[in-house]
Amino acid sequence: MLSGLMNFLRACFRPRSNQYSHTSLDTGGRQDGLLWYKDTGQHVNGEFSMAVVQANNLLEDQSQLESGCMSLNELGPYGTFVGVYDGHGGPETSRFINEHLFQHLKRFTSEQQTMSVDVIRKAYQATEEGFLSLVTKQWPMKPQIAAVGSCCLVGVICGGTLYVANLGDSRAVLGRAVKATGEVLAIQLSAEHNVCIESVRQELQSLHPDDSRIVVLKHNVWRVKGLIQVSRSIGDVYLKKAEFNREPLYSKFRLREPLKRPILSADPSISVHQLQPQDQFVIFASDGLWEHLSNQEAVDIVQNHPQSGSARRLVKTALKEAANKREMRYSDLKKIDRGVRRHFHDDITVIVVFLDSNLVSRASSVKGPNLSVKGGGVNLRPNILAPCATPTEAGST
């Protein structure tokens, strides 16, 4: 009976060549089953490596690396943009961010004629407002889109400065060499917004002092209103706007009491780092990686192997850890198809950006070819509607 069910699920989830397409915009990306990877490429500040492994039936992780001009005109500045967007409840929000956030950033950079924290914050705000407009339009036909959201991790390297912005629980980790010992230490650059962290729970409780159930321990996991693990995101408008927290939204997402003010925020935490010659690389990854590897373990893997294939190596190490936790072989895990695979691990996206100090110091003013790479997966084409289904538990990022 069980084997028959597994065969049926595999048949349902198997892509048909006339209906599905790989989404990489760069022909250098390769597919190995549910693993997409680009082992090496060149950005204006050094080299990079990308990898994505799909677990959900529809890939909820989206990602991109943009290199070259950071504005709408060719006057610059020039740099590198990295985005990792870990969706939940469906792929709509992460796909929207992947199409719009960088364009907003280029527009605001053009207006201010420089890269800044303010430019990045405005790009996030414009993306949030754009998705809210989309939800408003689709609400009559597709109300469940109100319960779809995404974490949003961005890195911008420009003029020798690294900006890291984050909503949710994806993570950016720097590998920094220590001259005295030769070690490469892991330094976390991003602030996370997951209510498993006590300080995040305290922040929510201070913002909502009249709500004793703003965070709830449910099945041994802390969740905002018992629904979602992250306190900041793009989308999830059912926890931001009262008009979207009502029927016909599924009852499990509707609050018992009226929504008086937004519960979740789309205001990113942004940090600024002046890059030093000892800064070797930055790992940008969705929480699917960090569930299985510590910051230092990830940095050690990158440091102790050739640069080419670094992202794929990290993803495979995480998958082997996921298999070990379920007392199964990695080779058997690889045979499990998307959808069913989500019971074993999450979608995982990794982008490793290597920093060439000679290039970093002059890259903002040196023109180079524009490069755009978007992480791949087995996805429905944009003009084919995703199947209508009950969203998975929101915020299980």
Side-chain angles (χ1 to χ4, degrees):
M1 175 69 81
L2 181 60
S3 62
L5 176 61
M6 291 290 284
N7 290 334
F8 171 75
L9 290 170
R10 288 194 182 98
C12 289
F13 294 157
R14 188 173 295 122
R16 292 191 293 274
S17 60
N18 65 340
Q19 193 177 5
Y20 295 83
S21 65
H22 301 310
T23 59
S24 170
L25 294 187
D26 186 279
T27 54
R30 296 186 176 184
Q31 197 85 27
D32 176 13
L34 295 179
L35 174 67
W36 175 94
Y37 61 94
K38 180 172 175 57
D39 278 343
T40 187
Q42 187 76 32
H43 64 106
V44 297
N45 293 287
E47 295 187 357
F48 70 91
S49 176
M50 292 177 71
V52 180
V53 68
Q54 182 169 351
N56 288 289
N57 183 31
L58 293 172
L59 181 67
E60 294 185 345
D61 273 18
Q62 299 290 315
S63 56
Q64 65 187 126
L65 184 141
E66 310 285 342
S67 177
C69 190
M70 297 285 107
S71 65
L72 294 176
N73 56 58
E74 289 303 313
L75 299 176
Y78 294 84
T80 304
F81 174 96
V82 177
V84 173
Y85 318 123
D86 180 2
H88 46 258
E92 290 87 351
T93 314
S94 56
R95 289 179 182 178
F96 185 89
I97 300 169
N98 212 15
E99 292 300 321
H100 294 90
L101 177 58
F102 181 59
Q103 297 307 315
H104 287 308
L105 180 124
K106 289 173 72 175
R107 175 165 60 90
F108 290 118
T109 303
S110 298
E111 290 178 4
Q112 298 196 11
Q113 299 183 333
T114 186
M115 184 60 63
S116 68
V117 168
D118 187 52
V119 162
I120 296 169
R121 198 176 300 281
K122 284 181 174 178
Y124 269 73
Q125 182 181 358
T127 306
E128 168 80 351
E129 290 171 356
F131 189 72
L132 175 60
S133 296
L134 179 68
V135 172
T136 303
K137 290 175 185 174
Q138 294 196 4
W139 170 261
M141 305 84 67
K142 190 181 178 183
Q144 308 316 321
I145 195 173
V148 180
S150 182
C151 300
C152 186
L153 172 65
V154 161
V156 180
I157 306 168
C158 191
T161 301
L162 168 62
Y163 303 86
V164 175
N166 194 40
L167 295 171
D169 54 9
S170 296
R171 188 181 301 172
V173 175
L174 173 70
R176 174 174 286 174
V178 180
K179 290 181 181 178
T181 62
E183 296 175 278
V184 175
L185 294 182
I187 301 172
Q188 184 167 326
L189 301 179
S190 53
E192 293 175 33
H193 312 112
N194 188 310
V195 290
C196 69
I197 303 167
E198 185 177 359
S199 61
V200 177
R201 295 198 298 274
Q202 291 173 347
E203 179 186 53
L204 273 177
Q205 287 161 348
S206 67
L207 291 170
H208 302 272
D210 54 340
D211 188 349
S212 62
R213 293 182 59 79
I214 189 67
V215 285
V216 178
L217 190 62
K218 185 177 179 181
H219 306 306
N220 215 30
V221 177
W222 286 102
R223 293 183 184 273
V224 181
K225 302 300 292 182
L227 293 168
I228 186 169
Q229 291 174 252
V230 294
S231 62
R232 303 192 197 187
S233 67
I234 300 289
D236 296 309
V237 301
Y238 75 114
L239 291 175
K240 296 173 179 176
K241 300 279 187 181
E243 59 264 39
F244 299 112
N245 198 288
R246 58 180 176 84
E247 291 184 341
L249 188 69
Y250 292 131
S251 59
K252 70 175 181 176
F253 295 122
R254 298 201 300 268
L255 302 178
R256 294 176 183 175
E257 64 283 349
L259 183 63
K260 296 178 182 177
R261 60 183 181 274
I263 292 174
L264 301 190
S265 166
D267 184 30
S269 295
I270 305 177
S271 56
V272 182
H273 312 270
Q274 297 303 317
L275 291 172
Q276 307 296 323
Q278 60 267 34
D279 295 335
Q280 305 293 297
F281 53 84
V282 185
I283 304 167
F284 297 88
S286 57
D287 74 316
L289 180 78
W290 308 113
E291 285 175 10
H292 303 292
L293 295 177
S294 71
N295 293 353
Q296 192 62 53
E297 285 170 338
V299 164
D300 289 344
I301 289 166
V302 174
Q303 176 61 22
N304 295 330
H305 294 88
Q307 289 187 5
S308 178
S310 292
R312 179 159 54 120
R313 200 171 291 116
L314 286 169
V315 168
K316 285 192 172 183
T317 304
L319 294 180
K320 288 176 181 177
E321 285 295 318
N324 287 339
K325 289 173 183 176
R326 300 297 288 269
E327 298 183 341
M328 64 189 300
R329 292 177 299 187
Y330 170 61
S331 57
D332 291 332
L333 178 65
K334 284 182 67 177
K335 296 173 186 175
I336 300 172
D337 210 345
R338 60 199 173 92
V340 179
R341 182 81 81 90
R342 183 61 183 88
H343 297 288
F344 299 85
H345 64 84
D346 200 354
D347 295 337
I348 303 173
T349 296
V350 179
I351 304 176
V352 183
V353 175
F354 294 95
L355 303 168
D356 182 324
S357 59
N358 293 321
L359 294 175
V360 166
S361 62
R362 62 187 182 91
S364 66
S365 59
V366 176
K367 290 187 177 182
N370 290 336
L371 172 72
S372 177
V373 184
K374 295 203 174 183
V378 182
N379 265 345
L380 291 167
R381 288 201 186 104
N383 62 345
I384 299 176
L385 289 174
C388 185
T390 305
T392 55
E393 183 115 31
S396 302
T397 57

